[in-house]
Every structure is written in structure tokens, then in C-alpha cells.
Amino acid sequence: MIGEASGVHVAADGPDLPAVGTPRLIGRDDELARLAAALASPPGVVLVSGEAGIGKSRLVRELLPEPGVLVARCPPLREALTLGPIVDALRQARPGVAGLELSPLAGTLRPLFPEWDLPPAPEALADAGAARHRLLRALAELLDRIDVDVLVVEDVHWADETTLEFLLFLAARQEQRPGLVLTYRPDEVGDDSLLLRLSSRYPRITLGALDVAQTAQLVSSMLGDERVSEPFARFLHRHTDGIPFALEESVRLLRDRADLIRQGGEWIRRSLTDIAVPPTIRDALAERLVRLMPDAQAVLRACAVLATPAAEPDVVEVCGLPAGRAGTAIDEAARSGLLVEDERGRLGFRHLLAAKAVYDGIGGRERRELHRRSGKALSAWDPAPVAVLAHHFREAGETEKWCEYAERAADLALASGDHHTAVSFLHGLLASPALPPTAVARLSRKTPLFAFTGYLGRVDLVRTVRGVLDSAVLDRRETAEIRSQLGRLLMHAGDYAEGAAELERAIPDLADNPVAVAQAMSVLGRPAGASWPAQAHLEWLDRADAVVRSAVPEDERLSFTVDRATALLEMGDEAGWTVVDTLPADDAHDPLQITRGLLNYGDAALQWGRYADARAKLTRSVELAERQGLQRLRDMGLATLIRLDWLTGSWQGLASRVAEFADLAEEPLIQLDTTLVGALLQSATEPDSEAEVERKLTLVLDAARQRGIVDMPLEPAAALARLHLAAGRPEPALAVTEEPMAVVARKQIWLWAAELAPVRVEALLAAGRVSEASVLVGEFAAGYPGATGAVHWCRALLTEAAGDHAGAAREWADAAAAWAALPRPYDALLARERAALCLLAGGSSAPALEQLEKLHADCVALGASAAASRVRAHLPGAAVWRGGRRGYGDQLSPRELEVVRLLLTGLTNPEIARVLSRSPKTVAAQLNSAMRKHRVSSRTALAVSATQAGITPATAD
């Protein structure tokens, strides 16, 4: 109860009882202008944000009342159907597609518009990303054909994930497209929502609450534009926080109670000692509801349960009133201002807050009955709104019908390529204890693996499926099928050991299904997981091959051939190339598997250093993927070509291509791979970018570890270690390479160590762990099947650390030649730099300087600015940087100088430690500090820089 003395009471039927109208839009002139400007200029995308009831929809309607505007509304359902808001809006806007002259691509939309006369459905795509992208392209074409000028999507915080992907797709299109206006509540947006990408890229208009003066204007506009007293405006503002919808409902309630009076030519409120102001909009609406006749209340409860706008016959059926009484009740509900008729003649609440307030006030038994009636009414629709029906029957407690419609919704989502929505429905079904065992097995088989990586972070599907295995009465075959699916699920989630165990348990009971057995064995044959050695994977591959040869029909073998060759090549087994040669040259038989095979083999050729072969296979795979509409495979091929261009020195325009793919959040693996390439390119071309490069590499490394893909962290770990070594930090370089190198050693797949082994060796040497470095070089050289540049690099490091500058220069030259032959020009330049510095350190100044001159020109030509800067510093006439910590000005500390002078005599770190009676660790730290001050990353480069700075070798005592 809140009170304040003023005014007199007027009875509800007194002559001064006000007529309350719809308020004008108040206090939004600036926002209207900004909205119009955003739509009028590229990219024509704008978001309108604000809390519930703040007036987002009203603002948009004020600007866009004319034809050419398509309005889609996202309902607050637990599971939204694929592209449901857009599909519903299009279906209501047009009866069909006659006269639109759609391309064959539109056949993709058949699952969403089964009643329309669309072109024949194209061939199904096994690749989920490709299927989804094709669906988005088809829907965009439909929008283009019906001449939509502006697409408004309201309450987009409730949109399904594919709808958000579609909005991102539309916004990013370069060609002509409709303007986009999206309204949403920021507090309803999850941390992982794709909506954040839209809100961070495009203009956003945030609506705030009205002030006291604007409150007075809004209330006045509801009361015939007559003046509202300032104390009354302050009173309303205080109790509604200036939220327009709350203000409107409060005024209507005060009018219903006869709490408004006119006095002295202005509207005021009567004595507040007698006025109870409801603390929430829900309470205010509940009080208004009870003032209506029971029939009108029944209509409003029916509309609240229906949740989405519905035709009058449906409302009548759900509310349960005779037709005549229902019509009168609908009129009364409309007069109350709570119920409105939309542009399509459907009935619904003026605001979702009102619908929720009414819904929350319905008792449990009545609510279940209204949901049952809603399901019955809507099940007559053609096509059936399966997601909405699943919602109603679930809330009604009708399990059998809920299961029927939820499975149909999952099937529709799968047919549309929307695996995330499908998993959401399937998870809900699998978690139901009432589901019969045969249905459990069927639904488990439907669950798409592709969606699991992102989905498992949000829903504990693993626990649900395990619960099914523990509790359901299944036969051995059904149990094995579910267990096999669970194994794959766990592997996609990064839990390889658990997944492999489930697959192994399932295989014996799948014996009567050789294809399923071969599939399970092939999965175990892929070299995933950190603990299994390559030999264990090879054994599973051989077992799978035996099953395929003996029991799998010949026309189903191609996918197994691709899997076998891919796994062998990933493990560095030369036999994989023999299998590659069996891939059919003709792609007509199975274009998906041919495209996938070419992509995998091209990636393998890149890892093996067979760059010409890699480019040919990757280019062919991209061509086939484009022709077949395999968007995800196409993008993977293009991303791999980006990596190849980085390695082969084709850097022209590479940064922009990297940026395009590094922003591809819907394909996180592609995004991580291209972000890594972008960081490496930036490190090579921007000398002062260390901090930004380190940030990107850390991001990639952390994400790679979280995804549990065993070989993904290796390269970002190596790149981070190189940064640490260049800055004179061997300890973090050792730390970041420790576990990745342990994985390589456990699995005995030395192909994976091409980038990692050289930097790990250098880190070990910098820390004085020479014997460990020597062992690692031996193992790497014996097991590495690729090009020899990395092996020569490791041997050069060992030779240089031993003080043999001439021998090290030869090893560096061999490494440079091996890299150049691939070609891998940047690595060749780095090896040539190290060779020249070794010559300088060994006293061969003339040939070293000649090489450095040529090297500098080649670095500039490639665009390797960081290397060019380092090389230039060693040439005659260049200013040699000798900066250090301010405590010693531009000089090394005395203890660092002692260590450097002994280094110049050719002593190793342990030998220097013995001479100075210090620990090898202390000596390593002092040398690293000296390298950091001289901006070099190796002992040899430090020796050259120190000599140029006038530091002389220590003399014998």
C-alpha cells in the first residue's frame, strides 16, 4: 500500500470516468531517426534492444507501417522449430509460390513448406553444414523473389539457432537483400548465442525508460491529450520505472478502479492512502483480468495457453465456450486492450508480458486441459505445426502424442539440415522414462553426431543415453546400437578413452551387421586420443579392412577406403598412398566420398610435404564441393589451401582471406585453423606484433585443448614456444611443448612433430638439457616420414650448441635447401639466416655478409618484414640495437657479460657453469636475458651481435 493525500474519489460509472486510448509513441524521436538512417545506409541492418515492455515493437511499427515489410515473431517455446519464425511469416504472407520463377535450389525448402508447389527436392547431403547452408541459400532466394524490402524479426533472443544463422547469412550477403530489423532483450541472450555476433557487428539502438516529463506525455496521450498533473506523473514514474507498457497497464487499471479524476482541468489520482499499486505488471494484469466477465477471462486464458496468434475458431475451440458467447467474450477482451487482432486476422495478446501474466495465473489442472484442447485444435492444421503440438501435448501430459510430434519435429529438423534443433527434441525424448525400448533404439540411431560438439556443453545428453542403457529393457542388438552411438558421441565431445571403450563393448553384439561393425572399427582406427599408440590404431584398421573385404557390399566400400587411407596417412604410414591410388577418378558414382577423399588426401599431402600434390587434390575437392553444394567441405578445402599458401609463400592477399575464414564462427575448426595461420603470418610480416600474436595463439591453443582433438594443439603450442624463445623465455617454451611432445612420443606418430620437434629441441638446449635434446633429435629423425627440412633444422641446433659453427652452417644450409625444394620459402629464409650467423660466429665474415645481403633482399621480396629487420641489423652501417634493462643503461649486467664472453670462446652452458661456479639453470637464464637485450633468439645470433657490439671473448687464466 502506497499513499499520498490529494483529490477526491469518483465512482466507476461517474461522469468523469476517462476513456483510455492507445498511447502515442513518446520520447523516441532520436531513436526513430537513427533507425531510419541505419536502414537507409549500408549494410541496412539494425538491432533494437531493451527490456520487456520498453517499446521495441512499437518503435519498429511506427517507422515501417507500409507494404514490403515482412514481420516474423519468435515464440517463447522450449524447442523452436527450424527457421520457424521466418517460415511462419512467409506462409502467412503468401498462399504459394506461383509466378516466382524459383530455381531448382528452392526444392530444398520442401520439408518446411510441404503444401507449396516447389521444385523437386535435390539429393540429400550427408554433410550437415552443407545441407544447412543450402537451406539458407534457398530461403534467401525465396525472400528475394517475393520482394521483401525489410525483414523484421521480433524477440530474436528466442530464435532457434538456424534462424540466427540465417540472419547472419542474410546480413553478410554482398548482393541486394532486404533490410533487417531485429528486436531483442539483452538479458535473455546466452553467452554462446549467435545473436552476439550480430549485436557486435551492426548498429544497435538501445531503448531506455521514459523520464517524468515523458511519462506525463504518454499518459496524456491515453487520456485525450488532456493535461496530467506533475505529482501524478511522478507517482506513476516511481512505480513503473518509466517502462511504457507498465505505464499503460497502470493507467488502464487505475481507470478500471475509478482511481482517476479530473480536477482543475487536469487528470490527477485520488487519495493514495486508498490506492494499492501492484508491485509488478503481472499483478496489475491479474487485477484487470478479474474485473472482466468470466467468459472474457476464459478467452484470455485460452489465448495465453495457445502462446502464438491463432484464428478465432481455434480460440473458440480452446476456450470451450459456445460460439455465440465466445464472440461476445472476444469483443470484451479486445475492448479491455489486452487482446488484439493482427494483420492476418489472428487473435493474440497485445504484449507477451500480458500473455505470461495470464498464463501464470492459470491453475495446473485447467492449464493441462487448455494445452490438450490447443493440441487438438492445432493438429487439424495443414501442415501441422509439429513443434508447437509437441509443446502442447507435453504440457498436457499426453506422452504418446508428445513423443509422436517431437519425433516428427526432429525428423523435420534433420531433413532441413538443422542438427542442433533435432538433438534438442531427441534429447527430450530420450530423457523420458515412458519411452518404450524400441523407440529408444530408433531415436538413438537418428541422433546426428555432427551436432554433438557444441550441444554437449549445454545438455547432458551423455548421461541421458547412459541412463537409457542402464534402465531400458533392450535386446542385445538394440543395446549395441545405442552403445555404438554413445561411443561416437563421446569421441566427438573429446572423451576418446570412454568413447573407445563403449565402441569396443558394442562390436561383438553388432556381428550380424557387418557395415556397423566395420564403421565402429574404422572409428577406432583413426589416430585420435592421447594414449593409444599408432600400432593399436593400425590393428583396428586391419580388422575393419578384413570385415569390409569379406562382408560389406562392394557399392558401400568407398567410404571405408577413404577412412582407411586417411588414417594411415595421418599416422605417417607410407602404405596410405597405395590406398589413395585406388580412389576412383570418376566422381559420378559417389561425389560426396570422392570429394571427402580428395580433401583428406590433400591435407595429408600437405602434412607430408608433397605440396604440388596437395594443391592439385585440394583444388579438385573445392571444385567438386562447389558443384555438389557441399559447402562445409568446400570451406574446409579453401581453408586448407590458405594454410598451403602460407607455407609456400603465396602471401599476396592472404591476410584478407584469413580474416574472412577466421570469422566463420559456425565452423569452429575452420575458424581456429585460419586464426592460427593469421597469427603466423602476422608474426612474419609485422615486427612489433608479438603481443597480439601471442594472444591469438593462446586463444587457438586453449580452444584446441578444450575440443579434445589430440593433434590440434601441436602447432599452436610450437608457435607459442617460438615466441617465448625469441623473447629469451625457455621455461615457458618448455612448459607449453611438454605435453604435446609427450603425446607424439606415446603415439609414436612423428609426422605430427614437424613443427613441434625443432622448437622443443631449441628449448631443451636453451635450458642446458643437451642429452634430452640429442635423444629427441634421434627419435624424430628415425620416425619422421616427411620432408627432411625439419630434421636438418634439429641437427643444426645440436651442432650449433656444441660450438661447431662451420658444421652448423652446413646443416642450416641443408635445411634451407630442403625447405626451398618443397617450396617453403619462409622457413628456407630462416634457415639461411641461421647459417649466415654461424659463419659470422666462426670468423667467415665475407661470405656471411654476402649471404646476409642477398637474404635481406629475399626477405623484403617475400614480405617477411620481421626477418628483414633482424638481418638488416647485421649488415655494415646498420645501427645495432644493444638495449637492455635501464639499470645498466645499454649494457649487459656484469654477470651477463661474464657469461657472454665465455660463450664467445665456444663453451657450452654446462661448461660455462663449471667455470663460473654457477648452476646451469642460472647460466641459461643469464644467456636468455642477454639474448632478449640483443633481440636475438639463438646462442649463435647472440655471439654475432655481441661481437658486433665490441664484446670480446674471455681469455684463459
Side-chain angles (χ1 to χ4, degrees), residues 544-565:
D545 189 49
V547 172
V548 170
R549 290 176 182 274
S550 63
V552 173
E554 189 168 349
D555 61 352
E556 296 183 44
R557 294 181 184 179
L558 184 55
S559 66
F560 294 105
T561 300
V562 171
D563 288 344
R564 177 174 175 79

Side-chain angles (χ1 to χ4, degrees), residues 158-181:
W158 283 322
D160 61 281
E161 188 159 349
T162 306
T163 294
L164 290 174
E165 287 185 11
F166 178 63
L167 296 176
L168 281 165
F169 175 80
L170 277 186
R173 288 172 71 195
Q174 298 300 316
E175 62 268 30
Q176 184 67 31
R177 55 161 173 73
L180 287 177
V181 179

Side-chain angles (χ1 to χ4, degrees), residues 895-930:
R895 293 172 67 82
E896 291 166 349
L897 185 59
E898 286 181 319
V899 172
V900 171
R901 293 187 68 201
L902 287 169
L903 167 72
L904 294 177
T905 67
L907 295 182
T908 64
N909 284 16
E911 290 169 340
I912 295 172
R914 286 194 294 272
V915 171
L916 297 175
S917 299
R918 300 174 192 168
S919 72
K921 192 170 184 179
T922 299
V923 168
Q926 290 164 344
L927 279 175
N928 288 326
S929 177

Side-chain angles (χ1 to χ4, degrees), residues 601-849:
Y601 303 160
D603 182 69
L606 186 152
Q607 303 301 326
W608 282 67
R610 303 183 178 192
Y611 291 167
D613 192 22
R615 189 171 299 280
K617 285 181 167 58
L618 291 170
T619 302
R620 176 65 174 154
S621 75
V622 170
E623 291 172 353
L624 290 180
E626 286 180 337
R627 184 194 308 166
Q628 300 297 328
L630 303 171
Q631 181 68 25
R632 184 166 181 262
L633 294 185
R634 169 189 172 274
D635 288 345
M636 291 174 69
L638 290 173
T640 311
L641 283 168
I642 284 175
R643 172 178 286 277
L644 181 60
D645 285 343
W646 149 251
L647 292 172
T648 57
S650 301
W651 293 359
Q652 186 69 33
L654 188 59
S656 60
R657 291 163 58 203
V658 164
E660 178 183 351
F661 277 91
D663 202 29
L664 195 66
E666 53 268 43
E667 293 292 354
L669 300 185
I670 295 175
Q671 184 183 42
L672 289 176
D673 200 44
T674 47
T675 299
L676 171 62
V677 173
L680 297 173
L681 181 65
Q682 187 175 5
S683 179
T685 58
E686 301 176 25
D688 298 321
S689 61
E690 291 89 349
E692 176 64 11
V693 170
E694 184 171 352
R695 183 192 67 79
K696 290 180 180 178
L697 292 175
T698 302
L699 181 151
V700 173
L701 181 60
D702 290 345
R705 287 169 172 163
Q706 290 171 6
R707 291 192 163 272
I709 303 175
V710 66
D711 59 335
M712 184 177 281
L714 302 180
E715 190 168 0
L720 265 178
R722 281 193 291 272
L723 282 185
H724 290 313
L725 288 172
R729 303 188 298 263
E731 291 304 324
L734 284 170
V736 78
T737 56
E738 184 81 30
E739 178 55 26
M741 186 54 70
V743 168
V744 171
R746 283 196 298 270
K747 297 192 77 66
Q748 289 292 295
I749 303 179
W750 291 100
L751 179 68
W752 292 1
E755 309 300 325
L756 186 64
V759 71
R760 176 69 178 176
V761 169
E762 189 164 359
L764 289 170
L765 292 172
R769 294 158 61 176
V770 178
S771 60
E772 288 181 61
S774 181
V775 170
L776 176 56
V777 172
E779 292 177 333
F780 178 51
Y784 183 54
T788 58
V791 174
H792 282 301
W793 191 290
C794 291
R795 288 172 175 159
L797 288 169
L798 282 180
T799 307
E800 184 179 326
D804 181 0
H805 298 301
R810 289 192 294 274
E811 286 285 1
W812 286 120
D814 289 343
W819 289 133
L822 290 179
R824 195 160 158 173
Y826 182 56
D827 292 278
L829 292 176
L830 297 180
R832 287 167 57 194
E833 179 186 359
R834 302 289 285 265
L837 295 180
C838 281
L839 290 177
L840 272 179
S844 303
S845 299
L849 292 175

Side-chain angles (χ1 to χ4, degrees), residues 90 128 584 783:
L90 287 167

Side-chain angles (χ1 to χ4, degrees), residues 266-289:
E266 64 182 9
W267 287 105
I268 62 174
R269 77 282 189 228
R270 68 179 175 86
S271 174
L272 294 182
T273 57
D274 299 322
I275 294 181
V277 179
T280 65
I281 294 176
R282 183 185 65 185
D283 295 329
L285 286 162
E287 185 175 339
R288 290 190 61 212
L289 186 65

